[in-house]
């Protein structure tokens, strides 16, 4: 009996934690879990009103959906950590081969394979564990109908009071939680937006104002000069502003500026907003090259499959020889010749 009670309590806690767990690493604090999930209250209330067959259907649907929600939250935490944005269910699956390759290059094939196996097992465990927990929670609630009705009524009243008062223990995490439903709706909207984005981006690509410009009208201020456009990877605003190491970087840059000035050179700095963060730099490269906002793998594939006029083509048309060199390349780069025309 004690073991059964413990298992039932753990089932409730597993479902509860899955519903209220944040999807941002900065919000993963104990206080973020001290919330009342309206979704859990409604599932138990439904379980109390449905016949046994309907209750089994409810558990069979709600359990896997909740497990899927946990997987999405884990992906969001990873993407916020790496890219400062949530997981995109339309575009981000294409990063899997690159992520695997990068991980193997970073920690070795054996360690990477172990880590990937662990992640796969974690995802499967999330799906199975949530399904089993929902089945047990709804069965126990139906088996103790009177106590469960009292608990649902009390928790529902507490949720309404907290919602009306806007009560929070952690900023941005209301006690009256609807975060699971909001996340699910957000994922559906993200899929819809991703599917519609192709048409929007196609319109951007057609707006190609320099495509037919004569070569003698392009890049006139750079005539007679060799031009180097250099991408220094993983070097953004965080390197020179607001970080623990930025003062040392600033000192190096200041010394370099003084040295250049002494030799008669001048330098000037400014900011560009990047379509990516923390990696996937070819999106930033193609944005600068094409003049359109390339912030996803789908947009990148759409761009390089088009005949959009690029900066490298502008240099070529104006009389330069356009060459691309990437020291880290270890394979043929089809887009370099078929799209950029280096």
């Amino acid at each position: 009996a004690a073991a059964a009670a413990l298992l039932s309590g753990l089932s409730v806690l597993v479902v509860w934690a899955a519903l209220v767990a944040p999807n941002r690493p900065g919000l993963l604090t104990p206080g973020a879990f001290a919330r009342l999930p309206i979704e859990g209250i409604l599932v138990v209330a439904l379980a109390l009103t449905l016949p046994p067959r309907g209750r089994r259907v409810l558990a069979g649907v709600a359990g896997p959906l909740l497990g899927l929600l946990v997987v999405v939250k884990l992906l969001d935490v990873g993407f916020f950590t790496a890219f400062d944005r949530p997981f995109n269910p339309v575009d981000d699956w294409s990063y899997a081969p690159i992520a695997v390759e990068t991980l193997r290059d970073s920690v070795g094939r054996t360690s990477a394979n172990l880590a990937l196996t662990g992640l796969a097992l974690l995802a499967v465990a999330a799906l199975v564990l949530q399904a089993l927990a929902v089945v047990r929670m709804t069965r126990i609630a139906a088996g103790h109908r009177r106590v469960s009705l009292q608990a649902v009524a009390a928790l529902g009243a507490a949720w309404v009071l907290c919602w009306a008062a806007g009560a929070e223990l952690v900023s941005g995490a209301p006690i009256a939680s609807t975060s699971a439903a909001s996340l699910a709706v957000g994922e559906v909207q993200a899929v819809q937006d991703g599917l519609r984005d192709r048409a929007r981006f196609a319109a951007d690509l057609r707006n190609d104002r320099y495509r037919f410009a004569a070569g003698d009208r392009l890049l006139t201020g750079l005539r007679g000069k060799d031009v180097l456009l250099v991408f220094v990877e993983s070097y953004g605003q965080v390197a020179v502003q607001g970080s623990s190491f930025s003062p040392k970087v600033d000192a190096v840059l200041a010394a370099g500026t003084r040295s250049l000035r002494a030799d008669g050179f001048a330098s000037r700095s400014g900011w560009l907003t990047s379509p990516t963060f923390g990696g996937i730099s070819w999106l930033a490269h193609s944005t600068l090259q094409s003049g359109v906002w390339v912030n996803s793998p789908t947009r990148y594939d759409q761009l390089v499959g088009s005949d959009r006029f690029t900066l490298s083509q502008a240099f070529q048309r104006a009389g330069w020889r356009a060459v691309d060199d990437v020291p880290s390349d270890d394979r043929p780069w089809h887009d370099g010749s078929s799209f950029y025309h280096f």
Side-chain angles (χ1 to χ4, degrees), residues 201 204-211 229 231 275 282-295 299-300 302-304 306-314 339-340 342:
F201 191 57
D204 293 340
L205 292 176
R206 288 192 296 269
N207 183 21
D208 199 355
R209 59 182 297 191
Y210 296 107
R211 178 168 180 75
L229 181 60
F231 294 95
W282 56 91
L283 302 185
H285 302 172
S286 56
T287 294
L288 186 61
Q289 272 265 24
S290 65
V292 289
W293 193 246
V294 186
N295 61 347
R299 284 195 165 201
Y300 179 83
Q302 194 172 346
L303 172 67
V304 298
S306 72
D307 57 358
R308 175 80 180 187
F309 191 59
T310 63
L311 191 59
S312 55
Q313 289 175 274
F339 176 69
Y340 291 114
F342 289 115

mmCIF file of all heavy atoms in Angstrom, residues 201 204-211 229 231 275 282-295 299-300 302-304 306-314 339-340 342:
data_model
loop_
_atom_site.group_PDB
_atom_site.id
_atom_site.type_symbol
_atom_site.label_atom_id
_atom_site.label_comp_id
_atom_site.label_asym_id
_atom_site.label_seq_id
_atom_site.Cartn_x
_atom_site.Cartn_y
_atom_site.Cartn_z
ATOM 1 N N PHE A 201 8.904 34.983 -48.284
ATOM 2 C CA PHE A 201 10.306 35.126 -48.647
ATOM 3 C C PHE A 201 10.479 35.160 -50.168
ATOM 4 O O PHE A 201 11.371 35.846 -50.675
ATOM 5 C CB PHE A 201 11.123 33.992 -48.030
ATOM 6 C CG PHE A 201 12.612 34.197 -48.125
ATOM 7 C CD1 PHE A 201 13.198 35.328 -47.591
ATOM 8 C CD2 PHE A 201 13.419 33.255 -48.741
ATOM 9 C CE1 PHE A 201 14.566 35.524 -47.666
ATOM 10 C CE2 PHE A 201 14.789 33.441 -48.820
ATOM 11 C CZ PHE A 201 15.364 34.573 -48.284
ATOM 12 N N ASP A 204 10.178 38.626 -51.161
ATOM 13 C CA ASP A 204 11.401 39.375 -50.871
ATOM 14 C C ASP A 204 12.464 39.130 -51.926
ATOM 15 O O ASP A 204 13.175 40.057 -52.342
ATOM 16 C CB ASP A 204 11.950 38.975 -49.488
ATOM 17 C CG ASP A 204 11.043 39.416 -48.351
ATOM 18 O OD1 ASP A 204 10.220 40.328 -48.572
ATOM 19 O OD2 ASP A 204 11.165 38.841 -47.253
ATOM 20 N N LEU A 205 12.597 37.888 -52.374
ATOM 21 C CA LEU A 205 13.616 37.565 -53.377
ATOM 22 C C LEU A 205 13.332 38.249 -54.713
ATOM 23 O O LEU A 205 14.253 38.627 -55.437
ATOM 24 C CB LEU A 205 13.682 36.047 -53.575
ATOM 25 C CG LEU A 205 14.219 35.231 -52.397
ATOM 26 C CD1 LEU A 205 14.141 33.736 -52.710
ATOM 27 C CD2 LEU A 205 15.655 35.622 -52.077
ATOM 28 N N ARG A 206 12.066 38.400 -55.043
ATOM 29 C CA ARG A 206 11.719 39.046 -56.312
ATOM 30 C C ARG A 206 12.024 40.538 -56.316
ATOM 31 O O ARG A 206 12.228 41.143 -57.373
ATOM 32 C CB ARG A 206 10.236 38.819 -56.624
ATOM 33 C CG ARG A 206 9.910 37.394 -57.033
ATOM 34 C CD ARG A 206 8.510 37.298 -57.616
ATOM 35 N NE ARG A 206 7.480 37.618 -56.638
ATOM 36 C CZ ARG A 206 6.902 36.712 -55.862
ATOM 37 N NH1 ARG A 206 7.257 35.436 -55.926
ATOM 38 N NH2 ARG A 206 5.964 37.073 -55.005
ATOM 39 N N ASN A 207 12.082 41.142 -55.128
ATOM 40 C CA ASN A 207 12.420 42.558 -55.022
ATOM 41 C C ASN A 207 13.941 42.707 -55.087
ATOM 42 O O ASN A 207 14.619 42.885 -54.078
ATOM 43 C CB ASN A 207 11.866 43.132 -53.713
ATOM 44 C CG ASN A 207 12.112 44.618 -53.572
ATOM 45 O OD1 ASN A 207 12.342 45.313 -54.564
ATOM 46 N ND2 ASN A 207 12.075 45.102 -52.345
ATOM 47 N N ASP A 208 14.494 42.629 -56.277
ATOM 48 C CA ASP A 208 15.947 42.515 -56.507
ATOM 49 C C ASP A 208 16.412 43.745 -57.291
ATOM 50 O O ASP A 208 16.633 43.703 -58.499
ATOM 51 C CB ASP A 208 16.211 41.217 -57.283
ATOM 52 C CG ASP A 208 17.646 40.760 -57.180
ATOM 53 O OD1 ASP A 208 18.464 41.509 -56.588
ATOM 54 O OD2 ASP A 208 17.967 39.682 -57.692
ATOM 55 N N ARG A 209 16.594 44.863 -56.603
ATOM 56 C CA ARG A 209 16.732 46.166 -57.257
ATOM 57 C C ARG A 209 18.033 46.328 -58.041
ATOM 58 O O ARG A 209 18.105 47.156 -58.954
ATOM 59 C CB ARG A 209 16.595 47.288 -56.237
ATOM 60 C CG ARG A 209 17.615 47.241 -55.114
ATOM 61 C CD ARG A 209 17.400 48.353 -54.115
ATOM 62 N NE ARG A 209 17.577 49.663 -54.697
ATOM 63 C CZ ARG A 209 17.652 50.778 -53.974
ATOM 64 N NH1 ARG A 209 17.531 50.718 -52.654
ATOM 65 N NH2 ARG A 209 17.827 51.939 -54.556
ATOM 66 N N TYR A 210 19.091 45.586 -57.708
ATOM 67 C CA TYR A 210 20.376 45.771 -58.395
ATOM 68 C C TYR A 210 20.637 44.714 -59.463
ATOM 69 O O TYR A 210 21.687 44.708 -60.084
ATOM 70 C CB TYR A 210 21.521 45.735 -57.376
ATOM 71 C CG TYR A 210 21.468 46.873 -56.390
ATOM 72 C CD1 TYR A 210 21.084 46.654 -55.072
ATOM 73 C CD2 TYR A 210 21.787 48.168 -56.776
ATOM 74 C CE1 TYR A 210 21.018 47.698 -54.157
ATOM 75 C CE2 TYR A 210 21.739 49.224 -55.877
ATOM 76 C CZ TYR A 210 21.349 48.981 -54.568
ATOM 77 O OH TYR A 210 21.286 50.013 -53.690
ATOM 78 N N ARG A 211 19.673 43.842 -59.680
ATOM 79 C CA ARG A 211 19.911 42.695 -60.559
ATOM 80 C C ARG A 211 20.351 43.106 -61.961
ATOM 81 O O ARG A 211 21.218 42.475 -62.554
ATOM 82 C CB ARG A 211 18.649 41.841 -60.626
ATOM 83 C CG ARG A 211 18.785 40.664 -61.561
ATOM 84 C CD ARG A 211 17.645 39.671 -61.401
ATOM 85 N NE ARG A 211 17.798 38.562 -62.306
ATOM 86 C CZ ARG A 211 18.681 37.580 -62.151
ATOM 87 N NH1 ARG A 211 19.478 37.600 -61.094
ATOM 88 N NH2 ARG A 211 18.767 36.600 -63.005
ATOM 89 N N LEU A 229 36.429 41.125 -47.618
ATOM 90 C CA LEU A 229 35.280 40.993 -46.726
ATOM 91 C C LEU A 229 35.538 39.762 -45.860
ATOM 92 O O LEU A 229 35.459 38.629 -46.329
ATOM 93 C CB LEU A 229 33.995 40.822 -47.543
ATOM 94 C CG LEU A 229 32.695 40.704 -46.761
ATOM 95 C CD1 LEU A 229 32.448 41.938 -45.910
ATOM 96 C CD2 LEU A 229 31.521 40.463 -47.708
ATOM 97 N N PHE A 231 34.932 37.394 -42.507
ATOM 98 C CA PHE A 231 34.058 36.962 -41.409
ATOM 99 C C PHE A 231 34.912 36.300 -40.345
ATOM 100 O O PHE A 231 35.556 35.282 -40.603
ATOM 101 C CB PHE A 231 33.011 35.963 -41.907
ATOM 102 C CG PHE A 231 32.013 36.542 -42.872
ATOM 103 C CD1 PHE A 231 32.200 36.429 -44.239
ATOM 104 C CD2 PHE A 231 30.886 37.204 -42.410
ATOM 105 C CE1 PHE A 231 31.286 36.963 -45.130
ATOM 106 C CE2 PHE A 231 29.969 37.734 -43.287
ATOM 107 C CZ PHE A 231 30.163 37.619 -44.660
ATOM 108 N N PRO A 275 21.095 37.668 -38.323
ATOM 109 C CA PRO A 275 19.902 36.819 -38.278
ATOM 110 C C PRO A 275 20.087 35.563 -37.443
ATOM 111 O O PRO A 275 19.154 34.779 -37.296
ATOM 112 C CB PRO A 275 19.683 36.454 -39.747
ATOM 113 C CG PRO A 275 21.064 36.451 -40.316
ATOM 114 C CD PRO A 275 21.800 37.561 -39.613
ATOM 115 N N TRP A 282 26.449 30.726 -41.698
ATOM 116 C CA TRP A 282 26.165 30.904 -43.118
ATOM 117 C C TRP A 282 24.871 31.667 -43.348
ATOM 118 O O TRP A 282 24.663 32.238 -44.411
ATOM 119 C CB TRP A 282 26.148 29.557 -43.835
ATOM 120 C CG TRP A 282 25.196 28.550 -43.285
ATOM 121 C CD1 TRP A 282 23.909 28.350 -43.659
ATOM 122 C CD2 TRP A 282 25.466 27.593 -42.257
ATOM 123 N NE1 TRP A 282 23.339 27.336 -42.930
ATOM 124 C CE2 TRP A 282 24.272 26.849 -42.057
ATOM 125 C CE3 TRP A 282 26.598 27.288 -41.481
ATOM 126 C CZ2 TRP A 282 24.186 25.825 -41.118
ATOM 127 C CZ3 TRP A 282 26.493 26.276 -40.538
ATOM 128 C CH2 TRP A 282 25.315 25.552 -40.372
ATOM 129 N N LEU A 283 23.982 31.690 -42.348
ATOM 130 C CA LEU A 283 22.778 32.509 -42.480
ATOM 131 C C LEU A 283 23.144 33.995 -42.486
ATOM 132 O O LEU A 283 22.573 34.789 -43.244
ATOM 133 C CB LEU A 283 21.804 32.219 -41.344
ATOM 134 C CG LEU A 283 21.337 30.772 -41.183
ATOM 135 C CD1 LEU A 283 20.280 30.673 -40.086
ATOM 136 C CD2 LEU A 283 20.790 30.210 -42.488
ATOM 137 N N ALA A 284 24.104 34.371 -41.626
ATOM 138 C CA ALA A 284 24.560 35.768 -41.612
ATOM 139 C C ALA A 284 25.319 36.103 -42.890
ATOM 140 O O ALA A 284 25.162 37.188 -43.457
ATOM 141 C CB ALA A 284 25.443 36.011 -40.388
ATOM 142 N N HIS A 285 26.164 35.181 -43.356
ATOM 143 C CA HIS A 285 26.918 35.422 -44.597
ATOM 144 C C HIS A 285 25.956 35.671 -45.752
ATOM 145 O O HIS A 285 26.133 36.620 -46.536
ATOM 146 C CB HIS A 285 27.802 34.217 -44.932
ATOM 147 C CG HIS A 285 28.770 33.858 -43.855
ATOM 148 N ND1 HIS A 285 29.543 32.717 -43.892
ATOM 149 C CD2 HIS A 285 29.105 34.482 -42.704
ATOM 150 C CE1 HIS A 285 30.296 32.655 -42.822
ATOM 151 N NE2 HIS A 285 30.055 33.710 -42.082
ATOM 152 N N SER A 286 24.953 34.818 -45.895
ATOM 153 C CA SER A 286 24.049 34.934 -47.040
ATOM 154 C C SER A 286 23.147 36.161 -46.916
ATOM 155 O O SER A 286 22.757 36.747 -47.936
ATOM 156 C CB SER A 286 23.202 33.664 -47.180
ATOM 157 O OG SER A 286 22.479 33.391 -45.991
ATOM 158 N N THR A 287 22.836 36.573 -45.682
ATOM 159 C CA THR A 287 22.059 37.805 -45.500
ATOM 160 C C THR A 287 22.837 39.014 -45.998
ATOM 161 O O THR A 287 22.315 39.860 -46.730
ATOM 162 C CB THR A 287 21.691 37.980 -44.016
ATOM 163 O OG1 THR A 287 20.795 36.940 -43.619
ATOM 164 C CG2 THR A 287 21.020 39.322 -43.761
ATOM 165 N N LEU A 288 24.112 39.099 -45.617
ATOM 166 C CA LEU A 288 24.945 40.207 -46.066
ATOM 167 C C LEU A 288 25.160 40.161 -47.575
ATOM 168 O O LEU A 288 25.175 41.189 -48.253
ATOM 169 C CB LEU A 288 26.289 40.175 -45.332
ATOM 170 C CG LEU A 288 27.227 41.353 -45.593
ATOM 171 C CD1 LEU A 288 26.586 42.656 -45.152
ATOM 172 C CD2 LEU A 288 28.550 41.156 -44.868
ATOM 173 N N GLN A 289 25.315 38.971 -48.118
ATOM 174 C CA GLN A 289 25.570 38.822 -49.552
ATOM 175 C C GLN A 289 24.356 39.171 -50.406
ATOM 176 O O GLN A 289 24.479 39.693 -51.500
ATOM 177 C CB GLN A 289 25.980 37.372 -49.850
ATOM 178 C CG GLN A 289 27.463 37.113 -49.723
ATOM 179 C CD GLN A 289 28.156 37.240 -51.076
ATOM 180 O OE1 GLN A 289 27.690 37.897 -51.982
ATOM 181 N NE2 GLN A 289 29.288 36.579 -51.189
ATOM 182 N N SER A 290 23.164 38.862 -49.913
ATOM 183 C CA SER A 290 21.966 38.953 -50.759
ATOM 184 C C SER A 290 21.067 40.132 -50.442
ATOM 185 O O SER A 290 20.215 40.494 -51.261
ATOM 186 C CB SER A 290 21.146 37.666 -50.623
ATOM 187 O OG SER A 290 20.648 37.539 -49.303
ATOM 188 N N GLY A 291 21.193 40.705 -49.230
ATOM 189 C CA GLY A 291 20.322 41.805 -48.863
ATOM 190 C C GLY A 291 18.930 41.386 -48.448
ATOM 191 O O GLY A 291 18.037 42.225 -48.334
ATOM 192 N N VAL A 292 18.693 40.106 -48.217
ATOM 193 C CA VAL A 292 17.415 39.628 -47.693
ATOM 194 C C VAL A 292 17.670 38.916 -46.364
ATOM 195 O O VAL A 292 18.774 38.434 -46.110
ATOM 196 C CB VAL A 292 16.690 38.684 -48.682
ATOM 197 C CG1 VAL A 292 16.168 39.452 -49.875
ATOM 198 C CG2 VAL A 292 17.590 37.539 -49.121
ATOM 199 N N TRP A 293 16.651 38.848 -45.531
ATOM 200 C CA TRP A 293 16.796 38.345 -44.155
ATOM 201 C C TRP A 293 16.722 36.820 -44.156
ATOM 202 O O TRP A 293 15.655 36.242 -44.290
ATOM 203 C CB TRP A 293 15.706 38.948 -43.289
ATOM 204 C CG TRP A 293 15.901 38.776 -41.816
ATOM 205 C CD1 TRP A 293 15.137 38.046 -40.968
ATOM 206 C CD2 TRP A 293 16.924 39.374 -41.014
ATOM 207 N NE1 TRP A 293 15.613 38.147 -39.679
ATOM 208 C CE2 TRP A 293 16.707 38.952 -39.685
ATOM 209 C CE3 TRP A 293 18.001 40.211 -41.296
ATOM 210 C CZ2 TRP A 293 17.528 39.343 -38.633
ATOM 211 C CZ3 TRP A 293 18.816 40.603 -40.252
ATOM 212 C CH2 TRP A 293 18.586 40.174 -38.938
ATOM 213 N N VAL A 294 17.873 36.177 -43.991
ATOM 214 C CA VAL A 294 17.966 34.712 -44.041
ATOM 215 C C VAL A 294 18.180 34.214 -42.617
ATOM 216 O O VAL A 294 19.301 34.169 -42.117
ATOM 217 C CB VAL A 294 19.111 34.250 -44.963
ATOM 218 C CG1 VAL A 294 19.083 32.735 -45.121
ATOM 219 C CG2 VAL A 294 19.022 34.929 -46.313
ATOM 220 N N ASN A 295 17.098 33.839 -41.943
ATOM 221 C CA ASN A 295 17.179 33.478 -40.522
ATOM 222 C C ASN A 295 16.768 32.036 -40.255
ATOM 223 O O ASN A 295 16.496 31.674 -39.113
ATOM 224 C CB ASN A 295 16.314 34.421 -39.688
ATOM 225 C CG ASN A 295 14.843 34.351 -40.072
ATOM 226 O OD1 ASN A 295 14.489 33.790 -41.099
ATOM 227 N ND2 ASN A 295 13.987 34.931 -39.246
ATOM 228 N N ARG A 299 14.829 29.220 -45.426
ATOM 229 C CA ARG A 299 15.091 30.431 -46.207
ATOM 230 C C ARG A 299 16.438 30.328 -46.941
ATOM 231 O O ARG A 299 16.560 30.792 -48.074
ATOM 232 C CB ARG A 299 15.068 31.663 -45.308
ATOM 233 C CG ARG A 299 13.671 32.110 -44.917
ATOM 234 C CD ARG A 299 13.657 33.506 -44.342
ATOM 235 N NE ARG A 299 12.292 34.044 -44.297
ATOM 236 C CZ ARG A 299 11.998 35.341 -44.238
ATOM 237 N NH1 ARG A 299 12.970 36.230 -44.217
ATOM 238 N NH2 ARG A 299 10.746 35.743 -44.209
ATOM 239 N N TYR A 300 17.431 29.751 -46.276
ATOM 240 C CA TYR A 300 18.729 29.610 -46.931
ATOM 241 C C TYR A 300 18.618 28.724 -48.176
ATOM 242 O O TYR A 300 19.127 29.074 -49.243
ATOM 243 C CB TYR A 300 19.755 29.021 -45.956
ATOM 244 C CG TYR A 300 21.119 28.829 -46.571
ATOM 245 C CD1 TYR A 300 22.013 29.892 -46.656
ATOM 246 C CD2 TYR A 300 21.514 27.588 -47.080
ATOM 247 C CE1 TYR A 300 23.260 29.729 -47.231
ATOM 248 C CE2 TYR A 300 22.751 27.423 -47.655
ATOM 249 C CZ TYR A 300 23.619 28.494 -47.726
ATOM 250 O OH TYR A 300 24.853 28.330 -48.311
ATOM 251 N N GLN A 302 15.996 28.152 -49.911
ATOM 252 C CA GLN A 302 15.200 28.868 -50.905
ATOM 253 C C GLN A 302 16.052 29.926 -51.612
ATOM 254 O O GLN A 302 15.941 30.123 -52.830
ATOM 255 C CB GLN A 302 13.998 29.522 -50.213
ATOM 256 C CG GLN A 302 12.911 30.003 -51.157
ATOM 257 C CD GLN A 302 11.677 30.468 -50.387
ATOM 258 O OE1 GLN A 302 11.541 30.194 -49.188
ATOM 259 N NE2 GLN A 302 10.779 31.157 -51.066
ATOM 260 N N LEU A 303 16.914 30.602 -50.844
ATOM 261 C CA LEU A 303 17.770 31.628 -51.427
ATOM 262 C C LEU A 303 18.762 31.047 -52.426
ATOM 263 O O LEU A 303 18.858 31.506 -53.572
ATOM 264 C CB LEU A 303 18.533 32.370 -50.321
ATOM 265 C CG LEU A 303 19.616 33.335 -50.787
ATOM 266 C CD1 LEU A 303 19.002 34.525 -51.518
ATOM 267 C CD2 LEU A 303 20.465 33.810 -49.605
ATOM 268 N N VAL A 304 19.510 30.016 -52.008
ATOM 269 C CA VAL A 304 20.564 29.497 -52.879
ATOM 270 C C VAL A 304 19.993 28.726 -54.067
ATOM 271 O O VAL A 304 20.706 28.432 -55.024
ATOM 272 C CB VAL A 304 21.565 28.619 -52.100
ATOM 273 C CG1 VAL A 304 22.272 29.431 -51.019
ATOM 274 C CG2 VAL A 304 20.868 27.406 -51.484
ATOM 275 N N SER A 306 17.642 30.143 -55.792
ATOM 276 C CA SER A 306 17.111 31.215 -56.631
ATOM 277 C C SER A 306 18.237 31.839 -57.463
ATOM 278 O O SER A 306 19.391 31.428 -57.389
ATOM 279 C CB SER A 306 16.463 32.284 -55.753
ATOM 280 O OG SER A 306 17.449 33.033 -55.053
ATOM 281 N N ASP A 307 17.881 32.864 -58.244
ATOM 282 C CA ASP A 307 18.887 33.601 -59.019
ATOM 283 C C ASP A 307 19.080 35.005 -58.452
ATOM 284 O O ASP A 307 19.362 35.951 -59.182
ATOM 285 C CB ASP A 307 18.481 33.668 -60.489
ATOM 286 C CG ASP A 307 17.105 34.293 -60.685
ATOM 287 O OD1 ASP A 307 16.462 34.639 -59.672
ATOM 288 O OD2 ASP A 307 16.681 34.439 -61.847
ATOM 289 N N ARG A 308 18.935 35.151 -57.130
ATOM 290 C CA ARG A 308 19.090 36.434 -56.460
ATOM 291 C C ARG A 308 20.487 37.013 -56.725
ATOM 292 O O ARG A 308 21.499 36.312 -56.643
ATOM 293 C CB ARG A 308 18.885 36.254 -54.955
ATOM 294 C CG ARG A 308 19.140 37.492 -54.099
ATOM 295 C CD ARG A 308 17.985 38.419 -54.127
ATOM 296 N NE ARG A 308 18.236 39.615 -53.296
ATOM 297 C CZ ARG A 308 17.328 40.538 -53.029
ATOM 298 N NH1 ARG A 308 16.107 40.428 -53.518
ATOM 299 N NH2 ARG A 308 17.629 41.585 -52.290
ATOM 300 N N PHE A 309 20.541 38.308 -57.038
ATOM 301 C CA PHE A 309 21.804 38.996 -57.276
ATOM 302 C C PHE A 309 22.536 39.176 -55.950
ATOM 303 O O PHE A 309 21.945 39.584 -54.953
ATOM 304 C CB PHE A 309 21.514 40.360 -57.917
ATOM 305 C CG PHE A 309 22.729 41.060 -58.452
ATOM 306 C CD1 PHE A 309 23.519 40.477 -59.425
ATOM 307 C CD2 PHE A 309 23.075 42.317 -57.984
ATOM 308 C CE1 PHE A 309 24.635 41.136 -59.926
ATOM 309 C CE2 PHE A 309 24.176 42.989 -58.474
ATOM 310 C CZ PHE A 309 24.970 42.396 -59.454
ATOM 311 N N THR A 310 23.824 38.873 -55.926
ATOM 312 C CA THR A 310 24.598 38.898 -54.684
ATOM 313 C C THR A 310 25.737 39.904 -54.765
ATOM 314 O O THR A 310 26.090 40.402 -55.837
ATOM 315 C CB THR A 310 25.191 37.518 -54.381
ATOM 316 O OG1 THR A 310 26.102 37.172 -55.424
ATOM 317 C CG2 THR A 310 24.106 36.460 -54.258
ATOM 318 N N LEU A 311 26.323 40.167 -53.612
ATOM 319 C CA LEU A 311 27.447 41.096 -53.535
ATOM 320 C C LEU A 311 28.636 40.592 -54.351
ATOM 321 O O LEU A 311 29.313 41.375 -55.037
ATOM 322 C CB LEU A 311 27.840 41.279 -52.070
ATOM 323 C CG LEU A 311 28.814 42.405 -51.734
ATOM 324 C CD1 LEU A 311 28.272 43.751 -52.171
ATOM 325 C CD2 LEU A 311 29.089 42.415 -50.226
ATOM 326 N N SER A 312 28.899 39.294 -54.300
ATOM 327 C CA SER A 312 30.019 38.756 -55.081
ATOM 328 C C SER A 312 29.782 38.931 -56.582
ATOM 329 O O SER A 312 30.715 39.230 -57.344
ATOM 330 C CB SER A 312 30.232 37.279 -54.740
ATOM 331 O OG SER A 312 29.044 36.542 -54.918
ATOM 332 N N GLN A 313 28.536 38.769 -57.033
ATOM 333 C CA GLN A 313 28.230 38.999 -58.442
ATOM 334 C C GLN A 313 28.371 40.474 -58.810
ATOM 335 O O GLN A 313 28.794 40.810 -59.919
ATOM 336 C CB GLN A 313 26.808 38.524 -58.740
ATOM 337 C CG GLN A 313 26.643 37.017 -58.719
ATOM 338 C CD GLN A 313 25.188 36.629 -58.894
ATOM 339 O OE1 GLN A 313 24.436 36.571 -57.934
ATOM 340 N NE2 GLN A 313 24.791 36.374 -60.126
ATOM 341 N N ALA A 314 28.030 41.357 -57.856
ATOM 342 C CA ALA A 314 28.187 42.791 -58.115
ATOM 343 C C ALA A 314 29.648 43.135 -58.344
ATOM 344 O O ALA A 314 29.985 43.900 -59.263
ATOM 345 C CB ALA A 314 27.625 43.592 -56.942
ATOM 346 N N PHE A 339 25.568 29.428 -56.805
ATOM 347 C CA PHE A 339 24.797 30.588 -56.377
ATOM 348 C C PHE A 339 25.636 31.845 -56.273
ATOM 349 O O PHE A 339 25.330 32.884 -56.867
ATOM 350 C CB PHE A 339 24.094 30.304 -55.051
ATOM 351 C CG PHE A 339 23.361 31.496 -54.498
ATOM 352 C CD1 PHE A 339 22.224 31.970 -55.142
ATOM 353 C CD2 PHE A 339 23.791 32.148 -53.355
ATOM 354 C CE1 PHE A 339 21.546 33.082 -54.648
ATOM 355 C CE2 PHE A 339 23.127 33.250 -52.857
ATOM 356 C CZ PHE A 339 22.000 33.725 -53.505
ATOM 357 N N TYR A 340 26.745 31.780 -55.517
ATOM 358 C CA TYR A 340 27.574 32.973 -55.337
ATOM 359 C C TYR A 340 28.460 33.249 -56.549
ATOM 360 O O TYR A 340 28.916 34.359 -56.753
ATOM 361 C CB TYR A 340 28.448 32.817 -54.084
ATOM 362 C CG TYR A 340 27.662 32.847 -52.805
ATOM 363 C CD1 TYR A 340 27.576 31.710 -52.000
ATOM 364 C CD2 TYR A 340 27.009 33.993 -52.379
ATOM 365 C CE1 TYR A 340 26.863 31.710 -50.817
ATOM 366 C CE2 TYR A 340 26.300 34.006 -51.195
ATOM 367 C CZ TYR A 340 26.220 32.874 -50.417
ATOM 368 O OH TYR A 340 25.506 32.891 -49.247
ATOM 369 N N PHE A 342 31.578 32.364 -57.239
ATOM 370 C CA PHE A 342 33.000 32.642 -57.025
ATOM 371 C C PHE A 342 33.823 31.911 -58.079
ATOM 372 O O PHE A 342 33.476 30.813 -58.483
ATOM 373 C CB PHE A 342 33.436 32.188 -55.627
ATOM 374 C CG PHE A 342 32.888 33.046 -54.516
ATOM 375 C CD1 PHE A 342 31.994 32.536 -53.589
ATOM 376 C CD2 PHE A 342 33.253 34.364 -54.394
ATOM 377 C CE1 PHE A 342 31.483 33.314 -52.555
ATOM 378 C CE2 PHE A 342 32.758 35.155 -53.364
ATOM 379 C CZ PHE A 342 31.869 34.630 -52.456
#
